[in-house]
Amino acid sequence: MPLNIVESTHKKAKPESEQIPFGRTFTDHMFVMDYEADKGWHEPRIVPYEPLTLDPASMIFHYGQTVFEGLKAYRADDGRVLLFRPEKNFERLNLSSDRLSIPPIDEQEVMGYLEELVRLEKDWVPAFEGTSLYIRPFIIGTEPSLAVAPSKSYKFMIILSPVGPYFSGGIKPVTINVEDQFTRAVKGGTGMAKTAGNYSSGYQAQAKAAQEGNADVLWLDGVEKRYIEEVGSMNIFFKIDGEVVTPALSGSILKGITRTSILELLKKWEVPVTERRISIAELYEAYEEGKVEEAFGTGTAAVISPVGELNWLGNKMVINDHEIGELSQKLYDTITGIQRGRKEDIHDWTVEI
Amino acid sequence: MPLNIVESTHKKAKPESEQIPFGRTFTDHMFVMDYEADKGWHEPRIVPYEPLTLDPASMIFHYGQTVFEGLKAYRADDGRVLLFRPEKNFERLNLSSDRLSIPPIDEQEVMGYLEELVRLEKDWVPAFEGTSLYIRPFIIGTEPSLAVAPSKSYKFMIILSPVGPYFSGGIKPVTINVEDQFTRAVKGGTGMAKTAGNYSSGYQAQAKAAQEGNADVLWLDGVEKRYIEEVGSMNIFFKIDGEVVTPALSGSILKGITRTSILELLKKWEVPVTERRISIAELYEAYEEGKVEEAFGTGTAAVISPVGELNWLGNKMVINDHEIGELSQKLYDTITGIQRGRKEDIHDWTVEI
Ligand SMILES: Cc1ncc(COP(=O)(O)O)c(C=O)c1O
Ligand SMILES: Cc1ncc(COP(=O)(O)O)c(C=O)c1O
């Protein structure tokens, strides 16, 4: 579909240091496209970043029919702007949409619109170490109706936000609480989808964890509260006795693109790695036997977030003496190297804008 | 807080028959109040019904921090306008808010604002048999930020919508599918809260049920997929061998106000009633023994919705020969009688506007 572009006449000031708080500054433009039952997705357009006008009865406010994605544009050392596996995000968006009964987008077409948008906002991709331009595609149900049924109209939007480094001054191991009461997701639910309700439902557990000095929550499965699932917005990996283990996709875990990339790297490097069920009790036993060598969360935000300490029902597991593990560091350097154009992109993971 | 009222200058046409589709027509005014971390809830106002203007980064669009309520204003035969136990809705709203990390409202104060709003819109309360004015209070997180954390600002709104009878031509038994794969809620999740994400997550199961000719879904517990929880937007009751049984509040079931009222009525009438865990297998066994006398869903929308047929993994349970049971009818007549001012309100359940 032809893309209409309306350029903004008031350009905003861009961040002038790496001190950019996450997700509060937005660029001059955004992408918008509408869906109507009889027209399908239509009217793709890039317009000035501006407020949305929605009927208070719009379904998004009442029944939560919405999905989103999160990816980044990186400034390479030579000035190029690179996206990291963006096609995987649109693929996942459609999987999420399917779960939420939202009509699919044309992944290729939307990829083209995203490229146009990032091209227009190229100067917004910061160059300071560890910074990037965060990209947030999302879809909301807009039909003004209180009937509990899928919306007949939707809005797909992409907004862009320059962001600072996840850790200022390099990666740092964090302390994480193993949540034993609240549940994030369960088999048959929406855990594998990137949908709004999965996130606010974790705020109470997050607050509880923070009160005891933890930076994040490690979720267990919703059925038995035994098996490890994932961290707030990250998948989780453990290196146990030389072998890397990550929870298998159970239906209640998000299939992280960083997770997929790490699995591919480890296989290439011939590091033993398995996706399987792993219980918190098994982890603790391995810990007591001194076998837990590394633990790290993985996601677009931090790429690799080493876990220095896990708190589980009063049991404290200190991992690798609160130091960054060798494998964690190597994965971090490899992926960020590819994202920044410092390492050869032998996997063809980046898309240059 | 003083309530500011801005009257609408363009009055819309009111429905002229009982044929009013659910939740698509809204009255001339709405109630709005804002929350800011430093000011608390402030600026309560009644303004013309109009679109909301929100930053596309508003948290409601991304992380689903929102809660809502649903109640009705009824036109009594003598012309009075009655609300049914509205204080219970604001009590439940605050319980939902607590789960979603949303600041509580002052229940009494908001009750006063609701009364003002309904008074102003009194002419919108339809008088046709079975009609009412549906009241939708809701809160949304409005802070423009992509950080996964509770919003620092919120909007509380009340919108009003005249609605037709749930069943045209009196109550009719419905056919319901027992869902065995999808999960609505699980212990530790948000099932006991009235929050958006709980509803759109059920659309796939709803569509599957509809495809096989079912009007709704009966949800089982998320852990074992054995215990009966509730129907789409209704609690569920069974009369088995003379005793009334409804699933106990497990943490994943909404505490319906109709449910509470029915429990109170049955106790007063000295009908044996228990809130307990009941498995679908137990129900089926009782059914095969010819002991399932009645089944009915309960909620604000239909008050009592008799279940004529339950489909569970290819097993069909036809209840009371697809007829309305005696107890179902008596409960329906009693509650709607009180709501319409036809029966004496000995429990002090109604609030006159
Ligand atoms: C719940 C959840 N798990 C895992 C991830 C990691 O996914 P990705 O590597 O694609 O960023 C995210 C972030 O997107 C997430 O929200
Ligand atoms: C999930 C759910 N269960 C039960 C109910 C019934 O509650 P009430 O009787 O308060 O309308 C509702 C409707 O509000 C609901 O949404």
Side-chain angles (χ1 to χ4, degrees), chain B residues 15-30:
Chain B
E16 291 186 352
S17 81
E18 61 145 49
Q19 300 305 324
I20 323 170
F22 181 79
R24 294 177 183 275
T25 312
F26 297 91
T27 68
D28 296 310
H29 300 88
M30 61 185 190

Side-chain angles (χ1 to χ4, degrees), chain B residues 129 165-173 324 329 332:
Chain B
E129 188 61 41
Y166 193 83
F167 300 103
S168 44
I171 54 176
K172 264 194 218 100
I324 301 160
Q329 187 71 55
Y332 180 80

Side-chain angles (χ1 to χ4, degrees), chain A residues 141-180:
Chain A
T142 54
E143 191 193 354
S145 162
L146 301 182
V148 183
S151 181
K152 292 194 180 73
S153 60
Y154 300 86
K155 246 184 215 312
F156 173 96
M157 304 182 67
I158 306 176
I159 56 177
L160 307 176
S161 174
V163 294
Y166 194 83
F167 299 104
S168 41
I171 54 176
K172 265 193 219 102
V174 294
T175 297
I176 286 182
N177 186 52
V178 182
E179 175 56 44
D180 62 307

Side-chain angles (χ1 to χ4, degrees), chain A residues 92 184 194 199 230 232-235 254 256-258 298-300:
Chain A
R92 187 170 64 187
R184 175 188 173 272
K194 220 165 153 65
Y199 294 81
E230 57 182 325
S233 304
M234 292 191 275
N235 295 109
L254 194 78
I257 292 157
T258 319
T298 73
T300 297

Side-chain angles (χ1 to χ4, degrees), chain A residues 59 65 100-103 141 143 145 147-154, chain B residues 24 200 203-204 206-207:
Chain A
M59 284 180 150
Q65 212 191 358
L100 273 296
S101 305
I102 293 174
E143 191 193 354
S145 162
V148 183
S151 181
K152 292 194 180 73
S153 60
Y154 300 86
Chain B
R24 294 177 183 275
S200 50
Y203 292 167
Q204 283 208 334
Q206 229 172 266

Side-chain angles (χ1 to χ4, degrees), chain B residues 261-276:
Chain B
S261 306
I262 287 169
L263 290 173
E264 290 172 34
L265 283 177
L266 293 177
K267 277 169 199 160
K268 204 189 116 236
W269 296 347
E270 294 178 355
V271 175
V273 56
T274 45
E275 300 172 70
R276 64 171 172 88

Side-chain angles (χ1 to χ4, degrees), chain B residues 193-268:
Chain B
K194 217 164 155 69
T195 183
N198 290 346
Y199 293 82
S200 50
S201 61
Y203 292 167
Q204 283 208 334
Q206 229 172 266
K208 199 175 84 173
Q211 241 166 22
E212 290 151 20
N214 300 278
D216 216 326
V217 168
L218 179 65
W219 296 105
L220 301 180
D221 78 282
V223 172
E224 301 184 56
K225 290 276 178 216
R226 283 176 61 190
Y227 297 101
I228 294 171
E229 297 228 315
E230 58 182 322
V231 182
S233 304
M234 290 191 276
N235 296 108
I236 186 99
F237 285 76
F238 302 97
K239 185 159 169 260
I240 303 172
D241 205 14
E243 191 197 29
V244 178
V245 179
T246 192
L249 299 174
S250 57
S252 49
I253 296 177
L254 195 79
K255 188 180 172 186
I257 292 156
T258 319
R259 177 185 182 280
T260 301
S261 306
I262 287 169
L263 290 173
E264 290 172 34
L265 283 177
L266 293 177
K267 277 169 199 160
K268 204 189 116 236

